[in-house]
Amino acid sequence: MSREVYAPPTLGTPSANAGGAASGSLYTSLDQAGPLTQYLCGECNAKVQLKKGDPIRCKECGHRVLYKERTKRMVQFEAR
């Protein structure tokens, strides 16, 4: 079976998948809904915003080592 023939299942009824284009737009809309996450480039210290599925690469210099920024929310642990 070739990859072009395969159609991923949808959340709707099986008859809704007859068009094929609707299922593709469903998956792309779910990918676009993800939140942006801030990263710092290890080479040029530029701030990079990535979402799920984006290539892990700095948009300024092309370096592939990115560090996730620390959260601004207070995190407290209870020690024994």
Side-chain angles (χ1 to χ4, degrees), residues 16-78:
N17 196 14
S23 65
S25 63
L26 173 68
Y27 286 104
T28 55
S29 65
L30 289 176
D31 292 342
Q32 301 294 332
L36 291 173
T37 307
Q38 290 279 342
Y39 293 95
L40 290 173
C41 176
E43 184 74 18
C44 66
N45 290 331
K47 290 188 178 184
V48 180
Q49 290 185 345
L50 298 177
K51 57 187 169 192
K52 185 177 180 181
D54 283 348
I56 302 171
R57 188 171 291 255
C58 177
K59 293 179 168 86
E60 302 293 324
C61 67
H63 196 67
R64 295 184 64 176
V65 176
L66 299 177
Y67 298 102
K68 190 170 184 179
E69 283 191 341
R70 185 178 292 230
T71 182
K72 293 172 178 48
R73 188 176 0 155
M74 187 177 102
V75 180
Q76 184 175 3
F77 297 100
E78 184 176 331

